[in-house]
Amino acid sequence: MTVTVRPGSGIYGYEQALRRGGFDLIGGADEAGRGACAGPLVAGAVILRPGRSGRIDGLADSKLLSPKQRDRIYEVILSRALAWSVVAIDPAECDQLGMHQANLTALRRALASLSPQPDFALTDGFSVDGLPSPSLSMWKGDRVAACVSAASVVAKVTRDRIMTDWHQRYPEYALDIHKGYCTVLHQERLEQHGPSVIHRQCFENVRRAGKVRPK
């Protein structure tokens, strides 16, 4: 089957084209935190309603939005989406699986958690096997497909809030600022205090900083 995205349809074009092809429920999935060396990997999945009711003002890739914009759009998504889900892969499981497999696992679990299940799935970046529906992986999908953009917002806001909560327990790492990503500040704190139990040992910079020390 061939579907055509009409010019000028913007980030809703892929879903419109798939619906014309007979797929009513289009699920998008994206992750947040793959490149972080601390905290969970979080994946979101969203099915937006068809038509105007599924259009969300200002929706875009979460990385292009300010924290305030993300928080606003996150609330709109949760209130207006036909279905949404979010899952987290903790640091220990990330270490066990490796980051690529952890990423695929998170996307797969997020899509599997949707109710109702999508007729077609769009995923950002990587092809995900083991899905019950046909799917398509999209390069920069969070910038070109609305449901993937929505999933990126759900994943990002959820993960940022998790990391802010972890900051209350581990204030010495300044997790509320860098959210576990490998910034200069984070590396300085990591070398000063050593890794915590939420740091990922599959990252070389964490292993160099020493053994995990429960705090």
Side-chain angles (χ1 to χ4, degrees):
M1 176 185 298
T2 301
V3 296
T4 302
V5 178
R6 291 172 178 169
S9 54
I11 63 172
Y12 297 92
Y14 280 95
E15 285 150 280
Q16 292 170 351
L18 286 166
R19 289 189 181 105
R20 290 195 301 272
F23 300 100
D24 293 328
L25 304 181
I26 316 302
D30 197 10
E31 57 72 32
R34 185 174 68 245
C37 64
L41 174 68
V42 175
V46 175
I47 300 175
L48 296 172
R49 298 180 184 277
R52 295 186 62 84
S53 63
R55 299 198 172 218
I56 297 173
D57 184 42
L59 179 62
D61 172 13
S62 63
K63 294 184 289 295
L64 302 179
L65 301 171
S66 69
K68 186 175 180 179
Q69 289 172 323
R70 284 196 297 265
D71 285 340
R72 179 189 66 80
I73 292 173
Y74 171 87
E75 297 298 337
V76 176
I77 293 169
L78 266 55
S79 67
R80 290 173 51 186
L82 181 63
W84 65 274
S85 69
V86 63
V87 301
I89 306 290
D90 65 32
E93 189 171 7
C94 288
D95 288 339
Q96 179 184 6
L97 295 173
M99 290 312 304
H100 180 63
Q101 286 303 318
N103 182 58
L104 298 183
T105 298
L107 294 172
R108 188 181 303 113
R109 289 178 184 173
L111 287 165
S113 299
L114 289 171
S115 181
Q117 279 285 284
D119 301 314
F120 198 99
L122 300 174
T123 58
D124 182 55
F126 299 100
S127 178
V128 181
D129 59 1
L131 297 177
S133 65
S135 63
L136 174 68
S137 60
M138 308 180 72
W139 176 248
K140 294 191 179 298
D142 47 9
R143 300 193 182 191
V144 298
C147 58
V148 182
S149 297
S152 77
V153 171
V154 170
K156 174 64 173 170
V157 171
T158 299
R159 188 178 187 279
D160 281 358
R161 292 178 180 181
I162 290 172
M163 297 309 294
T164 299
D165 287 343
W166 276 117
H167 172 71
Q168 305 305 312
R169 184 170 179 182
Y170 301 115
E172 63 269 31
Y173 297 105
L175 297 169
D176 60 328
I177 298 175
H178 52 70
K179 305 301 190 293
Y181 286 92
C182 303
T183 65
V184 173
L185 172 61
H186 190 184
Q187 189 62 36
E188 290 175 351
R189 300 295 179 89
L190 184 57
E191 292 172 0
Q192 180 180 357
H193 300 287
S196 73
V197 294
I198 67 166
H199 281 89
R200 302 174 187 171
Q201 291 296 308
C202 59
F203 278 67
E204 183 180 354
N205 65 314
V206 174
R207 294 196 299 272
R208 284 201 311 264
K211 295 181 178 180
V212 171
R213 300 183 302 180
K215 296 182 182 292

